[in-house]
Amino acid sequence: MSALTRRAFTASAPLALAALAHPGLAQPVATRPLVIAHRGASGERPEHTLAAYQRAIDQGADYVEPDLVMTRDGVLVARHENEISGTTDVADRPDFADRRTEQLIDGVKVEGWFTEDFTLAELKTLKARERLPDLRPGSAAFDGQAAIPTFQEVVDLTKAESRRTGRTIGTYPEMKHPTYFEARGLPMGASLAAALRDNGLDRRDAPVFVQCFEPKPLRAFRARSQAPTVMLVGAGALSDGMLAEVAEFADGLGPELKMVLDANTPGLPATGLIAKAQAAGMKVHPWTVRSENSFLPPALRQGENPAGHGNSAELLRALYRAGVDGVFTDFPELAVTVRQEIFNT
């Protein structure tokens, strides 16, 4: 257990014990939830690098999550967005200065450098950077050390690490802006389905979840592949009818944290969405637990520094007690530690 994990775990242990001791608060559930490493151990290493995924695996994560975008020559690569000035050194490369442009992505004008304007060989000459250096200076210390990985490299890593560790390590790819890429002649859904088939992951029981914020591309993907699918949703109301519709093409729901927990009420009680989604036949994997104060509910912040770590362990406890099937986190070591405390496994 790292020093940061130890501090977060120890500081919040009395709260957990109090919650479990009082019958008015939710009790632990029986199902052991998955720990999904959001972009790898992205609180400690630049996101979407093999180093971040490796660290997450070493910390006990069940799944690693690559966001997928595409290159000009049709290769799936792991980046948070297709605009890469914030996550690579591309802006420092005079040989690529003429690639700076503006694109309309999902109705929003974005200026910068875009993966679809580079071949894979060109992207491989770039180096990854921490996207949030002010909040994560420790991670930023690793800037310039890692290249952009392909999706195939991520899958190869999970397979190799599954053999090495003796435990199944899954892959949880997100299709980013698939409609946009389709319009550019880059069929993301078809490419991902083919990649899963080539890697023996095109089956219902494969250690993979394919996620997306766009329902139409996710529904189309479901027609191409047997791999489990997850519909991502941001904060907002989801009616029972909408949940039933999503359940027609998604095996899981990936809601924003504020949709599943009431952050303004002591004890962070569940909102009811988890139970409704599970009743509709879907797994529930909320996103994203981060330890920095700037990402935490006010009651869980510790100190005034936005980059300081607050009581994210208690947030994890609330999610586990609420009955989630898995949780996305930038700090998988802490999520694994708290899960061990709650579930003794």
Side-chain angles (χ1 to χ4, degrees):
M1 189 189 303
S2 71
L4 286 176
T5 301
R6 234 181 347 259
R7 283 204 298 274
F9 181 79
T10 303
S12 55
L15 291 174
L17 292 175
L20 297 179
H22 289 79
L25 297 176
Q27 298 299 305
V29 293
T31 303
R32 180 180 183 269
L34 298 173
V35 171
I36 305 156
H38 184 240
R39 309 172 193 170
S42 54
E44 301 180 38
R45 297 291 186 275
E47 64 188 28
H48 295 311
T49 60
L50 292 181
Y53 300 133
Q54 181 66 63
R55 186 158 181 82
I57 292 167
D58 291 342
Q59 292 177 344
D62 302 297
Y63 280 75
V64 297
E65 187 241 8
D67 294 339
L68 299 183
V69 294
M70 298 190 76
T71 67
R72 189 172 68 194
D73 44 348
V75 180
L76 293 164
V77 294
R79 284 292 88 188
H80 171 51
E81 291 288 347
N82 52 326
E83 200 291 297
I84 55 174
S85 62
T87 60
T88 74
D89 60 354
V90 66
D92 297 334
R93 292 284 298 272
D95 49 331
F96 292 141
D98 62 346
R99 306 285 177 94
R100 184 179 178 89
T101 186
E102 184 178 87
Q103 298 289 355
L104 186 66
I105 301 174
D106 298 344
V108 178
K109 287 184 178 180
V110 181
E111 187 175 349
W113 288 262
F114 299 85
T115 59
E116 62 271 21
D117 294 328
F118 293 79
T119 65
L120 177 63
E122 290 172 329
L123 282 181
K124 280 292 189 181
T125 69
L126 302 176
K127 296 299 182 182
R129 286 182 174 174
E130 169 55 47
R131 189 172 57 87
L132 304 169
D134 292 339
L135 291 180
R136 295 173 173 174
S139 176
F142 295 90
D143 283 359
Q145 297 185 16
I148 296 175
T150 65
F151 177 57
Q152 185 60 53
E153 288 174 319
V154 179
V155 172
D156 289 343
L157 176 66
T158 59
K159 286 184 173 182
E161 288 300 296
S162 294
R163 292 191 296 269
R164 181 184 70 85
T165 63
R167 57 189 178 89
T168 300
I169 299 159
T171 310
Y172 207 126
E174 179 185 349
M175 296 190 292
K176 298 298 290 273
H177 313 299
T179 300
Y180 167 84
F181 278 105
E182 185 81 31
R184 295 288 299 260
L186 295 167
M188 178 176 287
S191 297
L192 179 54
L196 295 180
R197 285 195 301 272
D198 291 345
N199 285 280
L201 297 173
D202 183 18
R203 61 181 200 274
R204 299 297 297 157
D205 62 345
V208 63
F209 288 97
V210 174
Q211 55 177 332
C212 190
F213 276 103
E214 299 181 46
K216 186 176 179 180
L218 193 64
R219 187 187 288 271
F221 179 85
R222 182 65 172 268
R224 294 187 176 104
S225 175
Q226 294 297 309
T229 52
V230 172
M231 184 70 210
L232 297 172
V233 290
L238 272 176
S239 68
D240 293 347
M242 293 169 67
L243 283 174
E245 182 178 351
V246 170
E248 293 176 0
F249 61 90
D251 301 284
L253 188 72
E256 192 173 357
L257 284 177
K258 63 181 69 175
M259 299 179 71
V260 299
L261 294 180
D262 181 357
N264 298 316
T265 301
L268 305 176
T271 61
L273 178 59
I274 296 170
K276 287 184 177 181
Q278 290 171 338
M282 291 183 287
K283 303 290 186 183
V284 180
H285 299 161
W287 51 273
T288 300
V289 175
R290 298 176 168 106
S291 292
E292 293 87 0
N293 283 325
S294 60
F295 297 117
L296 290 172
L300 298 183
R301 296 170 190 168
Q302 295 179 338
E304 300 297 325
N305 182 1
H309 284 207
N311 195 352
S312 54
E314 186 59 20
L315 177 57
L316 286 161
R317 290 189 183 95
L319 288 166
Y320 290 156
R321 292 194 300 264
V324 298
D325 300 286
V327 62
F328 286 88
T329 178
D330 290 5
F331 295 88
E333 184 182 33
L334 180 61
V336 170
T337 299
V338 175
R339 183 177 65 181
Q340 172 69 28
E341 169 210 340
I342 299 290
F343 296 91
N344 294 317
T345 182

